[in-house]
Amino acid sequence: MWQIYSLAALLFGATEETIDKATMVGSNAIDLLSAAWIRNSISFLISFTVVTVAVGAFPTMTLSVPFVLLGILNGIGAITYTILLKNVEITASSILESFIPLVFLPIDLFIFGAELLPRQIAGILVLILGGCIFFYRKRVNAALTKRQVVTLVSIFFFDALLIGFESYLFKDYFENLHLSEMDFLVNMWGVTFLFLSCLMLVRSVYTRTVPSMAVHKSYVFGSLFSKSLDYGYSFFFLRALTVASASQVTSMKVFYPIVLLGIVFGTQRKLGVDLEEYLDRKSLIPKVLGIAIICFGAYLAR
């Protein structure tokens, strides 16, 4: 059952990211902080409304140091996500999800004393090979600067930290405090909303400027649907964690680039929506080949 929840989360997440990218391309003038604040304000509003309607009561608020830390990390993650939307192909940035085993396997080895099997070592090498094939496209490589590469790698490690922290914190609160998925999301996005609102206020006071409301309205309209899908992604991801371990659920993220590539291809090539993705024949073949190799490597390295 947890596999179904995980796959549903991937489908919601890939569709959400595609819409986010299309919205960003259409509202590229909006700044990083404003875009992150708008998206997460909508997420908090949706999560609060869902609990109120579904349960018929206000959500359970659990203000704790771990939740505050998670909310702040999630707010920073929202800003870095906006950076990716503005500057990098979403299929290129999403491929890094498949490299999460490269982070957790050394932790298991050196902290928890686990032993790497030959199969896992081979999987790591295959993962690296698949990533090299995916990124080796002359047209994209010309535009992918060293700064963008450093940005991608830095955001990858930050996302791994954020995903791990969120996963283990939810499992702890679910098992010990019986906090539901819906209440967890309200608390997480509530702190994120407050954190980003404080940053918006500080910036307005410091710069003595107010962002253009016309740009905000355009971006809000495009973000409403994507954040509804984001709620579906988060809900099913947490639901999967209630019946499986964090390592099992996060391992399913290896299939995310495949799902995303399919949705991006259909959206840009079939629907004619500009996502600023390189999907010509020369770039599509390495993408598909790289994704296939990465999936196989992740299977070996699990």
Side-chain angles (χ1 to χ4, degrees):
M1 181 61 70
W2 69 268
Q3 292 93 335
I4 296 177
Y5 292 144
S6 297
L7 289 174
L10 295 183
L11 181 59
F12 275 100
T15 308
E16 173 238 342
E17 189 169 357
T18 302
I19 296 174
D20 275 340
K21 180 66 174 184
T23 304
M24 181 60 68
V25 171
S27 306
N28 200 44
I30 194 169
D31 63 273
L32 299 177
L33 182 56
S34 296
W37 181 83
I38 288 173
R39 292 197 313 272
N40 283 270
S41 298
I42 295 174
S43 294
F44 174 59
L45 179 61
I46 291 174
S47 64
F48 190 91
T49 303
V50 168
V51 173
T52 305
V53 173
V55 181
F58 289 115
T60 301
M61 304 304 294
T62 306
L63 186 61
S64 63
V65 174
F67 254 129
V68 172
L69 180 58
L70 176 61
I72 293 175
L73 289 175
N74 194 48
I76 297 173
I79 297 174
T80 59
Y81 174 63
T82 309
I83 294 175
L84 292 179
L85 289 176
K86 275 181 169 288
N87 300 291
V88 184
E89 285 184 282
I90 56 176
T91 51
S93 61
S94 70
I95 204 70
L96 294 178
E97 296 275 356
S98 302
F99 289 88
I100 287 181
L102 296 178
V103 176
F104 289 105
L105 281 176
I107 293 176
D108 290 338
L109 177 65
F110 296 109
I111 297 180
F112 297 104
E115 294 184 1
L116 280 177
L117 301 175
R119 165 178 58 79
Q120 293 173 313
I121 296 176
I124 291 175
L125 297 177
V126 173
L127 276 169
I128 296 173
L129 174 63
C132 292
I133 292 176
F134 184 93
F135 282 108
Y136 186 72
R137 287 165 286 139
K138 292 182 179 179
R139 185 180 177 186
V140 176
N141 289 346
L144 199 62
T145 64
K146 291 183 178 180
R147 182 177 179 180
Q148 287 177 314
V149 172
V150 172
T151 299
L152 276 173
V153 174
S154 301
I155 292 176
F156 160 70
F157 283 110
F158 178 82
D159 284 346
L161 170 65
L162 179 58
I163 291 171
F165 187 39
E166 177 185 353
S167 301
Y168 288 109
L169 182 63
F170 170 71
K171 288 189 71 69
D172 179 56
Y173 277 35
F174 176 78
E175 294 171 358
N176 298 312
L177 301 180
H178 305 290
L179 192 68
S180 70
E181 305 94 330
M182 293 185 292
D183 285 328
F184 184 88
L185 291 175
V186 173
N187 281 272
M188 180 182 71
W189 277 324
V191 176
T192 300
F193 169 72
L194 292 176
F195 171 68
L196 292 176
S197 295
C198 289
L199 292 183
M200 289 282 288
L201 180 61
V202 170
R203 187 185 65 175
S204 296
V205 172
Y206 180 76
T207 62
R208 297 181 181 179
T209 59
V210 178
S212 171
M213 291 304 297
V215 175
H216 277 201
K217 288 180 181 179
S218 174
Y219 194 77
V220 167
F221 180 78
S223 298
L224 281 172
F225 184 47
S226 70
K227 292 306 105 181
S228 298
L229 293 168
D230 187 25
Y231 184 86
Y233 161 76
S234 300
F235 176 83
F236 282 111
F237 177 75
L238 296 180
R239 175 56 64 88
L241 286 172
T242 64
V243 292
S245 67
S247 59
Q248 285 177 302
V249 177
T250 54
S251 68
M252 293 292 287
K253 286 181 173 292
V254 68
F255 298 107
Y256 184 77
I258 299 177
V259 177
L260 181 63
L261 182 60
I263 293 176
V264 166
F265 182 84
T267 302
Q268 182 163 298
R269 294 290 293 273
K270 303 301 181 182
L271 299 181
V273 179
D274 183 19
L275 299 175
E276 296 183 344
E277 292 281 322
Y278 296 115
L279 294 178
D280 59 312
R281 186 175 180 181
K282 291 184 178 179
S283 62
L284 189 60
I285 292 176
K287 279 186 175 183
V288 175
L289 180 60
I291 287 174
I293 293 176
I294 285 172
C295 289
F296 178 66
Y299 174 77
L300 294 176
R302 71 193 190 284

